[in-house]
Amino acid sequence: MKFTALIAAAIVVTAGVASQPAAAYGIATSGRTMASSQLAADVLTDISRYSKATGGCSFIYSADMRIVPGSFTPRGGHAEIWTLNVCAAKQRFRVTMWPSPRGGSDYTVQPITGRMPLHTR
């Protein structure tokens, strides 16, 4: 597991009308992603906003990223499963990425699960 300050610095945490960079904390990451640093930061920002809208909190503690085997397409796209600890709850997302005709990458983020407890008994 490693701390990725670059990704954390790019995340924007929205509190009321003010936005603050989340550079004050690191996000523990594990697993493997094919996303560039910028793309990963963009995806995490979207997930943070989604969490704020649906759960009232946008603080991401950790992220585990896994490439979905066999998800590669002829146009170069693929899917990944990202499991995040967001505000003391675990949630999984399917992140699909593909090359953009405008340069860079396009992506979609789909929640797979609702908010789950971090520890089950």
Side-chain angles (χ1 to χ4, degrees), residues 39-65:
L39 181 57
D42 292 346
V43 170
L44 288 170
T45 297
D46 284 349
I47 290 172
S48 178
R49 288 181 185 146
Y50 172 82
S51 182
K52 177 72 172 178
T54 60
C57 178
S58 60
F59 193 87
I60 299 173
Y61 294 92
S62 64
D64 179 64
M65 303 145 179

Side-chain angles (χ1 to χ4, degrees), residues 8-32:
I11 295 176
V12 177
V13 179
T14 305
V17 291
S19 294
Q20 301 174 358
Y25 65 93
I27 296 176
T29 60
S30 61
R32 183 169 174 258

